[in-house]
């Protein structure tokens, strides 16, 4: 299958593009800078970087020619809505039945109080990404929505765990907001395997929404503490209020526990990697090696 991956220079997208190439797909990667180190590194795995941006509909339309599936993991913080709408429009204009694997996350549930999140849990209709998911459903494009839990593992590049390694190695460990909140997690390599499983038979998953998590929820507080120890910092964790923190802390200042049984059954997918706490030492090694 010929697959175009957006965001393949990013944390999730890199793992996904490499995993798809490894199982024999012909993979191209949309990137705004095909000369960057991250883009060139993709070539070592047989992934072809293509220069462009989501907002450039004409260019994107050209890239879609001959492509069987698009895996969207790009996230443009400057224009999350416009960028994704441009992709939907390019796919609609291109016609055909190419499948879009659309990555969002659990922010679609907004400020909820659900003990467990499932694909049936009502989303917050005011949430930007929930609205984009709805627009995609309304556009009639063949697609599947994937909502990963908090991602960890690998080089922890743009993960929250990477932030905690950085803090532990500089100012010291900090925990934000509620101390008792519990989150679900997914290792980046297990997440990539879910995309591979989906693209074995994308038509079987048309219109579906899957939540992806391992079976080992953990409190962010335990992960902050363990990440600090792994990074060689034995300071006590400092506690910070949630106000003025970046969105990922404010949005997720609550339990975010995922039931991924629907995805497991439908995709024939079972997470294989270590849980977040056990994965911290190898991840710290990779994170340290990747530091500029
Ligand atoms: N990380 C997590 O813990 C986590 C958890 C749940 C869900 N997710 C979701 O998974 C997705 C990927 O997250 P991530 O952590 O891998 O993000 P990331 O590392 O920040 O990567 C995002 C990528 O998007 C690309 N991009 C940004 N704006 C673009 C544009 N206008 N046109 C084309 N490409 C553009 C960038 O590539 P270039 O700079 O090369 O163009 C970048 O490599 C996001 O939707 C995120 O919300 C992530």
């Amino acid at each position: 299958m010929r697959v175009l991956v957006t965001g393949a220079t990013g944390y999730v997208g890199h793992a996904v593009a490499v995993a798809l190439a490894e199982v024999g797909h012909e993979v191209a990667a949309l990137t705004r800078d095909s000369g960057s180190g991250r883009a060139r590194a993709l070539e070592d795995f047989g992934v072809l970087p293509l220069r462009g941006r989501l907002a450039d509909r004409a260019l994107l339309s050209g890239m879609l020619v001959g492509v069987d599936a698009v895996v969207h993991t790009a996230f443009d913080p400057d224009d999350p809505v416009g960028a994704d709408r441009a992709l939907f429009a390019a796919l609609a204009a291109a016609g055909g039945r190419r499948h879009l694997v659309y990555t969002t996350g659990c922010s679609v549930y907004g400020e909820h109080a659900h003990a467990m999140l499932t694909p049936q849990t009502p989303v917050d209709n005011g949430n930007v990404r929930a609205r984009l998911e709805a627009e995609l459903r309304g556009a009639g494009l063949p697609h599947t929505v994937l909502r990963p839990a908090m991602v960890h593992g690998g080089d922890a590049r743009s993960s929250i765990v990477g932030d905690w390694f950085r803090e532990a190695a500089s100012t010291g460990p900090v925990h934000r907001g509620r101390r008792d909140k519990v989150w679900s997690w997914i290792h980046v390599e297990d997440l990539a395997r879910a995309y591979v499983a989906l693209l074995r038979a994308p038509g079987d998953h048309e219109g579906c929404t899957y939540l992806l998590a391992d079976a080992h929820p953990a409190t962010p507080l335990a992960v902050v503490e363990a990440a600090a120890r792994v990074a060689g910092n034995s300071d006590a964790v400092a506690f910070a209020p949630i106000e003025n923190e970046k969105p990922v802390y404010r949005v997720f200042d609550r339990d975010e526990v995922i039931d991924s049984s629907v995805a497991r059954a439908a995709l024939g997918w079972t997470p294989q990697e270590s849980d977040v706490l056990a994965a911290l030492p190898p991840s710290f090694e990779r994170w340290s090696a990747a530091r500029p």
Side-chain angles (χ1 to χ4, degrees):
M1 195 181 273
R2 291 179 72 185
V3 186
L4 178 67
V5 179
T6 73
T9 57
Y11 178 45
V12 172
H14 175 87
V16 173
V18 168
L20 290 171
E22 275 173 359
V23 296
H25 294 297
E26 197 179 315
V27 183
L30 174 74
T31 169
R32 290 165 299 176
D33 182 1
S34 51
S36 73
R38 292 282 297 181
R40 288 201 314 274
L42 288 167
E43 295 178 39
D44 296 341
F45 299 94
V47 175
L48 175 69
L50 298 176
R51 189 161 185 276
R53 56 178 55 242
L54 287 160
D56 191 340
R57 254 184 67 182
L59 196 113
L60 204 52
S61 297
M63 287 181 192
L64 291 176
V65 175
V67 162
D68 304 298
V70 176
V71 171
H72 182 55
T73 70
F75 180 72
D76 187 342
D78 296 329
D79 186 14
V81 175
D84 286 13
R85 280 186 180 153
L87 176 63
F88 301 162
L91 281 161
R97 299 292 301 161
R98 57 182 69 71
H99 196 94
L100 172 62
V101 185
Y102 187 59
T103 311
T104 61
C106 292
S107 63
V108 296
Y109 297 107
E111 294 186 14
H112 67 86
H114 301 291
M116 183 78 83
L117 300 171
T118 76
Q120 280 71 48
T121 306
V123 298
D124 172 5
N125 292 320
N127 176 272
V128 162
R129 301 192 94 180
R131 289 206 307 270
L132 285 164
E133 286 185 4
E135 284 181 30
L136 175 57
R137 278 193 298 277
L141 297 167
H143 73 278
T144 307
V145 173
L146 296 184
R147 297 178 189 151
M150 225 35 105
V151 186
H152 72 93
D155 67 7
R157 189 174 174 268
S158 59
S159 72
I160 203 159
V161 173
D163 289 351
W164 297 340
F165 286 150
R166 196 171 308 111
E167 279 178 349
S170 52
T171 47
V174 181
H175 178 79
R176 278 107 176 152
R178 278 182 43 199
R179 299 184 187 197
D180 61 346
K181 61 192 169 196
V182 182
W183 292 347
S184 282
W185 300 83
I186 186 69
H187 193 287
V188 69
E189 304 293 343
D190 279 325
L191 182 54
R193 289 184 190 106
Y195 289 76
V196 170
L198 197 163
L199 286 188
R200 271 188 216 118
D204 292 354
H205 309 288
E206 208 166 303
C208 297
T209 296
Y210 297 135
L211 275 64
L212 303 165
D214 69 21
H216 306 284
T219 64
L221 176 53
V223 182
V224 166
E225 283 173 334
R229 302 300 167 261
V230 164
N233 187 314
S234 53
D235 292 353
V237 173
F239 292 93
I242 209 72
E243 296 77 23
N244 305 325
E245 288 294 348
K246 61 183 183 179
V248 67
Y249 289 110
R250 284 184 279 113
V251 171
F252 297 122
D253 193 30
R254 67 200 76 254
D255 290 350
E256 295 284 343
V257 180
I258 285 176
D259 174 358
S260 63
S261 55
V262 171
R264 287 165 193 249
L267 298 172
W269 166 81
T270 308
Q272 297 169 19
E273 304 290 335
S274 311
D275 64 66
V276 59
L277 293 170
L280 288 172
S283 186
F284 181 70
E285 293 297 315
R286 295 268 311 270
W287 177 83
S288 300
R291 278 176 94 178

